[in-house]
Amino acid sequence: MSVTPISSASAAGGGGPDLPVPRHVAIIMDGNGRWAKKRRLPRFAGHKQGIAAVNRTVRAAGDLGVEVLTLYAFSSENWRRPAAEIADLMGLLRHYIRAELDELAREGVRLRIIGDYRKLEPDLVALLDHAIERTAGNDRLTLAIALNYGAQDELLRVTRRLMREARAGEFDPDALDDAAFEARLDTSGLPRLDLLIRTSGEQRLSNFLLWQAAYAELVFVDTLWPDFDRAHLAAAIAVFGQRERRYGGL
Ligand code: IPE
Ligand code: IPE
Ligand code: MG
């Protein structure tokens, strides 16, 4: 299902004076390879253009009043790709942080990583930790990048940790509730997920934010990620604003 872009001016007002803006938006950035294939370019070209889309989207999210933008950049299943593509993706990530950190810091963006990112190459882990520390005091927009992230892996890590804490007598299993569980998720402390967007026409979650998406509104757009821009984000936010959220109630 395609979403027609509307002007950012109308979405900045939520498409109407009292339409809500989602506090937390997550995006499954899909379609880089198909974007490149359509142009008979190597897949790398699609990933490179994908970075330009990230820059546009981060800026737009901040301008539109979103508090947290979570981007799915590399899944725990993406290790199944050819080594050369994985190296390209890691290279682009390294380049992105190096090139954009000053700008992110200037624009009040706080960086956060979700996923088991400490399993990435050591220099990349150090670079990410430095960027997290450098932007820790910012509060205009939190940019959470999902790296080596898989929701099932996240849920297993939480479960393992709880079991260890219980075994050590540090946690009473009867005290386990939503809040105690969420405090151990990679997204702890972030507002609940309101809107989940996937680009490229695929309509699946691909192991992204399975717990957090419980009551998120889902918006699927046909646009390939490298073509995604402010107008697409504004349009998805306007669609969100018109959805009726009921959380099981009436
Ligand atoms: C999304 O684009 C980027 C990552 C998964 C890292 P793809 O690389 O999945 O592009 P398609 O789905 O092959 O078009
Ligand atoms: C999901 O896209 C992961 C990211 C966008 C990082 P994939 O392209 O890996 O998902 P599948 O394989 O089509 O489900
Ligand atoms: Mg894909």
Side-chain angles (χ1 to χ4, degrees):
M1 193 89 75
S2 162
V3 171
T4 314
I6 54 164
S7 78
S8 57
S10 66
D18 31 32
L19 283 182
V21 171
R23 293 181 68 193
H24 185 171
V25 177
I27 308 182
I28 302 175
M29 310 184 287
D30 199 14
N32 295 353
R34 278 162 284 167
W35 184 94
K37 193 171 182 195
K38 266 186 17 189
R39 290 164 178 76
R40 298 172 192 271
L41 294 168
R43 291 177 60 84
F44 177 78
H47 295 315
K48 195 161 167 246
Q49 282 303 307
I51 300 271
V54 166
N55 285 328
R56 290 193 293 270
T57 305
V58 170
R59 199 153 300 132
D63 293 346
L64 294 170
V66 170
E67 287 171 49
V68 181
L69 176 68
T70 299
L71 298 178
Y72 205 5
F74 192 86
S75 78
S76 50
E77 285 71 40
N78 286 145
W79 297 109
R80 294 177 185 154
R81 295 192 180 197
E85 174 153 347
I86 294 171
D88 281 348
L89 288 166
M90 296 302 155
L92 283 170
L93 173 63
R94 199 175 271 118
H95 181 263
Y96 170 76
I97 299 292
R98 286 201 184 119
E100 300 301 328
L101 182 56
D102 283 348
E103 179 74 5
L104 291 172
R106 211 174 14 249
E107 291 191 359
V109 176
R110 175 179 194 157
L111 183 73
R112 173 142 175 187
I113 306 296
I114 65 168
D116 204 358
Y117 76 101
R118 290 183 184 284
K119 299 209 173 115
L120 302 182
E121 288 160 46
D123 76 295
L124 203 41
V125 175
L127 188 64
L128 292 166
D129 282 339
H130 165 72
I132 291 165
E133 207 177 301
R134 161 107 189 265
T135 60
N138 289 343
D139 60 5
R140 183 160 175 264
L141 172 76
T142 295
L143 171 62
I145 305 182
L147 293 171
N148 189 24
Y149 177 88
Q152 292 180 340
D153 177 66
E154 178 188 33
L155 296 171
L156 287 173
R157 283 187 280 111
V158 170
T159 308
R160 230 178 267 130
R161 180 170 155 192
L162 281 164
M163 292 177 88
R164 260 193 233 112
E165 289 176 11
R167 189 175 54 193
E170 293 159 4
F171 189 83
D172 173 7
D174 291 328
L176 182 56
D177 58 8
D178 284 18
F181 198 87
E182 284 179 358
R184 289 161 177 81
L185 288 168
D186 293 350
T187 49
S188 70
L190 299 178
R192 82 163 78 178
L193 182 61
D194 294 312
L195 170 61
L196 175 60
I197 301 167
R198 183 171 188 145
T199 61
S200 88
E202 307 290 355
Q203 302 196 358
R204 56 174 169 265
L205 294 180
S206 299
N207 203 13
F208 195 41
L209 300 177
L210 297 182
W211 172 285
Q212 295 87 342
Y215 273 102
E217 294 297 326
L218 309 182
V219 172
F220 298 100
V221 300
D222 289 335
T223 311
L224 301 174
W225 177 250
D227 291 325
F228 195 84
D229 64 16
R230 176 181 295 261
H232 294 103
L233 180 65
I237 288 176
V239 167
F240 168 86
Q242 273 149 5
R243 297 263 177 96
E244 187 195 346
R245 303 179 85 188
R246 297 212 289 233
Y247 302 101
L250 291 179

